[in-house]
Each structure stands twice: as structure tokens, then as C-alpha cells.
Amino acid sequence: MGDEEGAVSHRGLSALAQGCLELEYIAIYVSDITNASLESIGTYSKNLCDFRLVLLDREERITDLPLDNGVRALLRGCEKLRRFALYLRPGGLTDVGLGYIGRYSPNVRWMLLGYVGGSDTGLLEFSKGCPSLQKLEMRGYKASSKSGRDLIAMARPFWNIELIPARRVVTTNQLGETVLLEHPAHILAYYSLAGPRTDFPDTVIPLDPVL
């Protein structure tokens, strides 16, 4: 398939993995993706320390979703990973796949996830793993409660959790037209010896397991 503006397909990702065996860092926008292409990364990119992938919404149909098995193979094969970003589309990863991320990311310290999992079940399974995680950002999360109290089970010592619930914002575009923007729920979790911050804007709900 033809690709524009530097985006690649699943075939390009597989070819990259097989041809560049010493890669330590990959940041890539893909127009299409398969489990097999992620498995190639896990098979050939043994020195990878930083992996970042964004699945664009350019194609109406993606060849192979969900990516549960591919993500599992990538994480199991790339044992040196310290930074991991996976920004997909709805349906890109199930709760099972989100659980795989927790289970097979023992050394990852920084993580950005977008539109992964389908419920709190996957998120809580994910939170049982990732023992080295210092900062987590999740976007497009489908919370079952607007207060975020169902996320308290994620809490760890010195671990701050902040929830920005999904919201709609009415704004004006460059043509002067009134448009409605959808902002999905957003979770930010991070370690801090100083404790929770106090300068929250109104859109942020701090989650304190002590309360």
C-alpha cells in the first residue's frame, strides 16, 4: 500500500525489525498494523530500550485487531525495554492485552497508552504488574465511574493517581463555526516522594487511597 508523510504499514515495520537488528529506539506512526509485525519486533529487536507506536486513523479498516498476541510477543522478546508507548484506536487491545502489558513489562519505567483495554478489569489486571513503573499516562480510558474511585486498587506507595474524566467542549474553529470537541478520559499516575500536588485545575480529580 502507499504511505504518505513518513507513515508506514505493518510490512514496513516487519522489514525494519528484520533489517536493523541493533536498534535501541523506535518511534513510528503506522497506517496499518498486524500482530505478526509486532512479533517481528520481539523476535529481532533484542536491544530495543524505547518503543513508541501510534496507529493512525487514516485507514477505515485495520488488517489485524486486536493486537493482544503481538504486544505480548513484543514485550516478551524486548527484555531491555525501559520506555513503552502504544497509542491505538478503539478495539486495538482488549482487557487481556492490557493485562499482558502489565505482566511482561518488568523493567519499563515510563509508559504511555492510548485506547487500550475495554474496562476496569483490564486496567486492574495491568496494575498488578509493571513493578518498575515510575510514570504512566493513559488516554481514551473508559472508566466505569466518573469519580474514579474504582481505580484506587491501582495505588502503590508514593504513587499519585490523577483522573481527567471524559468531557465535551464547545469551541469555534478557524472558519468561525461552532464545533463540539470530545475529550476522552485521561489517567496520569506517577511516583512522588513529595506526596500529591495541590494545584489541580477543576478538570482533574486526584485519587487518594487514604480518603
Side-chain angles (χ1 to χ4, degrees):
M1 60 181 297
D3 295 299
E4 302 173 355
E5 301 176 353
V8 301
S9 70
H10 56 90
R11 291 188 293 273
L13 186 58
S14 295
L16 178 67
Q18 296 176 38
C20 304
L21 301 181
E22 301 302 320
L23 277 178
E24 297 181 2
Y25 168 66
I26 295 176
I28 194 165
Y29 291 81
V30 295
S31 55
D32 195 10
I33 191 72
T34 63
N35 282 280
S37 61
L38 296 178
E39 291 168 5
S40 293
I41 296 289
T43 299
Y44 297 102
S45 303
K46 298 299 183 181
N47 291 318
L48 204 59
C49 300
D50 191 334
F51 175 84
R52 309 182 192 193
L53 182 144
V54 176
L55 176 59
L56 302 173
D57 58 1
R58 177 179 301 172
E59 302 294 331
E60 182 176 348
R61 180 182 179 276
I62 302 301
T63 299
D64 188 17
L65 294 182
L67 299 172
D68 297 359
N69 292 333
V71 167
R72 177 178 59 180
L74 184 151
L75 292 172
R76 293 180 68 178
C78 302
E79 297 180 349
K80 296 182 181 180
L81 273 181
R82 298 295 183 273
R83 299 172 71 88
F84 180 70
L86 189 68
Y87 205 102
L88 302 177
R89 288 159 54 169
L93 202 73
T94 70
D95 284 340
V96 172
L98 188 52
Y100 288 156
I101 294 179
R103 188 182 311 169
Y104 298 114
S105 301
N107 299 313
V108 176
R109 295 175 176 269
W110 173 92
M111 193 174 291
L112 169 63
L113 302 174
Y115 294 97
V116 297
S119 69
D120 293 341
T121 300
L123 181 61
L124 297 180
E125 190 65 28
F126 160 82
S127 69
K128 295 176 182 177
C130 299
S132 302
L133 196 60
Q134 296 181 354
K135 183 175 181 181
L136 167 69
E137 187 172 355
M138 297 187 71
R139 302 173 183 172
Y141 168 65
K142 296 180 180 179
S144 62
S145 73
K146 294 183 179 180
S147 68
R149 302 305 299 175
D150 46 337
L151 303 178
I152 291 299
M154 291 181 61
R156 307 177 182 188
F158 307 109
W159 189 241
N160 297 332
I161 305 174
E162 303 172 9
L163 171 65
I164 304 174
R167 64 193 191 281
R168 296 179 176 180
V169 178
V170 178
T171 187
T172 303
N173 63 18
Q174 295 179 343
L175 300 177
E177 302 169 332
T178 299
V179 294
L180 178 65
L181 297 180
E182 299 278 352
H183 293 274
H186 188 150
I187 298 170
L188 179 65
Y190 56 93
Y191 274 108
S192 174
L193 296 178
R197 63 189 179 103
T198 58
D199 58 342
F200 297 104
D202 295 337
T203 54
V204 175
I205 299 176
L207 304 181
D208 187 345
V210 177
L211 297 178

